[in-house]
Amino acid sequence: MKLALYGLGSRATAYYLQELNKQYNLKKGGYSTCPLWMYNTNFDTINPLLPNVSKPLDVIVAKDLQEITALQPDKIIVPNITLHETIDRVASATAIVHPLPLTLAKIKQHQVAKIVLIGSLHSMNATYLRSFFKENGIAVVLPTAKEMELIDTARKAIYTYTETEELVKDYQAILKKYAAKHIVVIACTELSILKPQGVRTIADMADLQILNAVQTII
């Protein structure tokens, strides 16, 4: 089985690569690292067009995916949750390690009908993620407006490597607060990077993609 990694933002892509290697090594042992192809696009052509979908973004992503698909990978992993809305518009989901069905399956394991969604300010307020869960019988609860602003501030700081210890502590406190009573879904790779560790009621879309990809190629 062949895996391709669509290289996007620097820190997010590095996190996926690190975690893919970690999870593969846990399965294989020794000095094992995850065998994959990485297609590293120029994220500066994509990021200014996010978070909204658009025809210019469709064109760029479709071209990139065509070049990745030419390598004939069995699975393609995309280290940007927001970009999957565009991917849904331009590509078949057959090879894509798509975070939404993986997250839904994880939620169903917990047998709950309500989650707390944590992501970028756009993702928390937009319809893409919330509609998916609603259509599958899962109600979505959002943090307070003040908490969402802090979460988005943390996201931006993590993206630029400028997060402070206090900001990360405040961000993690919000997740722990909601995770004490609910399943918390993280739908943003930057927020995945510095999430609280060891909290079983956190369903992280990035981790679910990574685990699925590794299980596929082993």
mmCIF file of all heavy atoms in Angstrom, residues 197-215:
data_model
loop_
_atom_site.group_PDB
_atom_site.id
_atom_site.type_symbol
_atom_site.label_atom_id
_atom_site.label_comp_id
_atom_site.label_asym_id
_atom_site.label_seq_id
_atom_site.Cartn_x
_atom_site.Cartn_y
_atom_site.Cartn_z
ATOM 1 N N GLN A 197 -2.871 16.295 26.518
ATOM 2 C CA GLN A 197 -2.577 14.879 26.282
ATOM 3 C C GLN A 197 -3.325 13.998 27.293
ATOM 4 O O GLN A 197 -3.570 14.395 28.422
ATOM 5 C CB GLN A 197 -1.073 14.634 26.396
ATOM 6 C CG GLN A 197 -0.254 15.373 25.360
ATOM 7 C CD GLN A 197 -0.598 14.972 23.939
ATOM 8 O OE1 GLN A 197 -0.635 13.785 23.617
ATOM 9 N NE2 GLN A 197 -0.850 15.938 23.077
ATOM 10 N N GLY A 198 -3.672 12.804 26.859
ATOM 11 C CA GLY A 198 -4.247 11.826 27.753
ATOM 12 C C GLY A 198 -5.711 12.031 28.095
ATOM 13 O O GLY A 198 -6.206 11.442 29.057
ATOM 14 N N VAL A 199 -6.411 12.855 27.309
ATOM 15 C CA VAL A 199 -7.834 13.102 27.553
ATOM 16 C C VAL A 199 -8.631 12.220 26.598
ATOM 17 O O VAL A 199 -8.694 12.488 25.397
ATOM 18 C CB VAL A 199 -8.204 14.592 27.368
ATOM 19 C CG1 VAL A 199 -9.681 14.809 27.694
ATOM 20 C CG2 VAL A 199 -7.327 15.471 28.251
ATOM 21 N N ARG A 200 -9.268 11.199 27.106
ATOM 22 C CA ARG A 200 -9.903 10.191 26.263
ATOM 23 C C ARG A 200 -11.158 10.699 25.560
ATOM 24 O O ARG A 200 -11.607 10.098 24.585
ATOM 25 C CB ARG A 200 -10.250 8.966 27.106
ATOM 26 C CG ARG A 200 -9.022 8.285 27.699
ATOM 27 C CD ARG A 200 -9.364 6.972 28.351
ATOM 28 N NE ARG A 200 -9.963 6.044 27.393
ATOM 29 C CZ ARG A 200 -10.159 4.755 27.640
ATOM 30 N NH1 ARG A 200 -9.790 4.246 28.804
ATOM 31 N NH2 ARG A 200 -10.720 3.971 26.745
ATOM 32 N N THR A 201 -11.734 11.776 26.062
ATOM 33 C CA THR A 201 -12.955 12.297 25.455
ATOM 34 C C THR A 201 -12.675 13.368 24.398
ATOM 35 O O THR A 201 -13.587 14.065 23.972
ATOM 36 C CB THR A 201 -13.896 12.860 26.540
ATOM 37 O OG1 THR A 201 -13.158 13.742 27.398
ATOM 38 C CG2 THR A 201 -14.509 11.744 27.360
ATOM 39 N N ILE A 202 -11.428 13.492 23.986
ATOM 40 C CA ILE A 202 -11.076 14.374 22.865
ATOM 41 C C ILE A 202 -10.906 13.522 21.610
ATOM 42 O O ILE A 202 -10.110 12.573 21.590
ATOM 43 C CB ILE A 202 -9.788 15.172 23.140
ATOM 44 C CG1 ILE A 202 -10.027 16.215 24.229
ATOM 45 C CG2 ILE A 202 -9.296 15.857 21.854
ATOM 46 C CD1 ILE A 202 -8.792 17.015 24.604
ATOM 47 N N ALA A 203 -11.675 13.833 20.572
ATOM 48 C CA ALA A 203 -11.548 13.182 19.265
ATOM 49 C C ALA A 203 -10.861 14.168 18.324
ATOM 50 O O ALA A 203 -11.440 15.197 17.968
ATOM 51 C CB ALA A 203 -12.920 12.787 18.727
ATOM 52 N N ASP A 204 -9.645 13.871 17.973
ATOM 53 C CA ASP A 204 -8.819 14.785 17.188
ATOM 54 C C ASP A 204 -8.808 14.323 15.728
ATOM 55 O O ASP A 204 -8.340 13.218 15.424
ATOM 56 C CB ASP A 204 -7.408 14.784 17.768
ATOM 57 C CG ASP A 204 -6.457 15.714 17.048
ATOM 58 O OD1 ASP A 204 -6.860 16.318 16.034
ATOM 59 O OD2 ASP A 204 -5.300 15.831 17.493
ATOM 60 N N MET A 205 -9.324 15.161 14.833
ATOM 61 C CA MET A 205 -9.406 14.774 13.422
ATOM 62 C C MET A 205 -8.038 14.453 12.828
ATOM 63 O O MET A 205 -7.910 13.523 12.025
ATOM 64 C CB MET A 205 -10.098 15.868 12.618
ATOM 65 C CG MET A 205 -11.577 15.988 12.871
ATOM 66 S SD MET A 205 -12.379 17.068 11.647
ATOM 67 C CE MET A 205 -14.082 17.012 12.243
ATOM 68 N N ALA A 206 -7.020 15.210 13.206
ATOM 69 C CA ALA A 206 -5.681 14.948 12.672
ATOM 70 C C ALA A 206 -5.191 13.570 13.109
ATOM 71 O O ALA A 206 -4.691 12.783 12.296
ATOM 72 C CB ALA A 206 -4.707 16.033 13.133
ATOM 73 N N ASP A 207 -5.324 13.267 14.386
ATOM 74 C CA ASP A 207 -4.883 11.968 14.888
ATOM 75 C C ASP A 207 -5.636 10.820 14.224
ATOM 76 O O ASP A 207 -5.061 9.775 13.921
ATOM 77 C CB ASP A 207 -5.092 11.892 16.401
ATOM 78 C CG ASP A 207 -4.066 12.703 17.178
ATOM 79 O OD1 ASP A 207 -3.114 13.216 16.557
ATOM 80 O OD2 ASP A 207 -4.212 12.818 18.407
ATOM 81 N N LEU A 208 -6.936 11.019 13.997
ATOM 82 C CA LEU A 208 -7.739 9.967 13.361
ATOM 83 C C LEU A 208 -7.276 9.713 11.930
ATOM 84 O O LEU A 208 -7.218 8.562 11.479
ATOM 85 C CB LEU A 208 -9.218 10.339 13.395
ATOM 86 C CG LEU A 208 -9.851 10.363 14.794
ATOM 87 C CD1 LEU A 208 -11.252 10.946 14.733
ATOM 88 C CD2 LEU A 208 -9.882 8.964 15.397
ATOM 89 N N GLN A 209 -6.932 10.776 11.205
ATOM 90 C CA GLN A 209 -6.393 10.609 9.854
ATOM 91 C C GLN A 209 -5.076 9.833 9.893
ATOM 92 O O GLN A 209 -4.847 8.913 9.100
ATOM 93 C CB GLN A 209 -6.126 11.971 9.212
ATOM 94 C CG GLN A 209 -7.352 12.755 8.779
ATOM 95 C CD GLN A 209 -6.915 14.112 8.254
ATOM 96 O OE1 GLN A 209 -6.544 14.997 9.044
ATOM 97 N NE2 GLN A 209 -6.938 14.274 6.960
ATOM 98 N N ILE A 210 -4.216 10.237 10.805
ATOM 99 C CA ILE A 210 -2.881 9.650 10.891
ATOM 100 C C ILE A 210 -2.959 8.165 11.251
ATOM 101 O O ILE A 210 -2.315 7.323 10.613
ATOM 102 C CB ILE A 210 -2.032 10.433 11.924
ATOM 103 C CG1 ILE A 210 -1.692 11.820 11.356
ATOM 104 C CG2 ILE A 210 -0.767 9.673 12.295
ATOM 105 C CD1 ILE A 210 -1.257 12.822 12.397
ATOM 106 N N LEU A 211 -3.767 7.832 12.232
ATOM 107 C CA LEU A 211 -3.911 6.436 12.641
ATOM 108 C C LEU A 211 -4.500 5.596 11.514
ATOM 109 O O LEU A 211 -4.044 4.460 11.267
ATOM 110 C CB LEU A 211 -4.791 6.343 13.878
ATOM 111 C CG LEU A 211 -4.164 6.854 15.181
ATOM 112 C CD1 LEU A 211 -5.205 6.919 16.288
ATOM 113 C CD2 LEU A 211 -2.991 5.972 15.616
ATOM 114 N N ASN A 212 -5.492 6.141 10.808
ATOM 115 C CA ASN A 212 -6.099 5.407 9.706
ATOM 116 C C ASN A 212 -5.095 5.176 8.583
ATOM 117 O O ASN A 212 -5.032 4.081 8.006
ATOM 118 C CB ASN A 212 -7.308 6.163 9.185
ATOM 119 C CG ASN A 212 -7.991 5.454 8.029
ATOM 120 O OD1 ASN A 212 -7.697 5.709 6.865
ATOM 121 N ND2 ASN A 212 -8.920 4.561 8.343
ATOM 122 N N ALA A 213 -4.306 6.197 8.267
ATOM 123 C CA ALA A 213 -3.310 6.077 7.200
ATOM 124 C C ALA A 213 -2.284 4.998 7.522
ATOM 125 O O ALA A 213 -1.932 4.176 6.671
ATOM 126 C CB ALA A 213 -2.630 7.421 6.966
ATOM 127 N N VAL A 214 -1.808 5.002 8.758
ATOM 128 C CA VAL A 214 -0.804 4.011 9.158
ATOM 129 C C VAL A 214 -1.388 2.608 9.135
ATOM 130 O O VAL A 214 -0.761 1.660 8.639
ATOM 131 C CB VAL A 214 -0.248 4.356 10.551
ATOM 132 C CG1 VAL A 214 0.617 3.204 11.092
ATOM 133 C CG2 VAL A 214 0.590 5.637 10.493
ATOM 134 N N GLN A 215 -2.590 2.457 9.653
ATOM 135 C CA GLN A 215 -3.239 1.140 9.641
ATOM 136 C C GLN A 215 -3.442 0.630 8.221
ATOM 137 O O GLN A 215 -3.348 -0.573 7.966
ATOM 138 C CB GLN A 215 -4.592 1.229 10.353
ATOM 139 C CG GLN A 215 -4.480 1.407 11.854
ATOM 140 C CD GLN A 215 -5.778 1.793 12.527
ATOM 141 O OE1 GLN A 215 -6.799 1.959 11.855
ATOM 142 N NE2 GLN A 215 -5.751 1.976 13.829
#
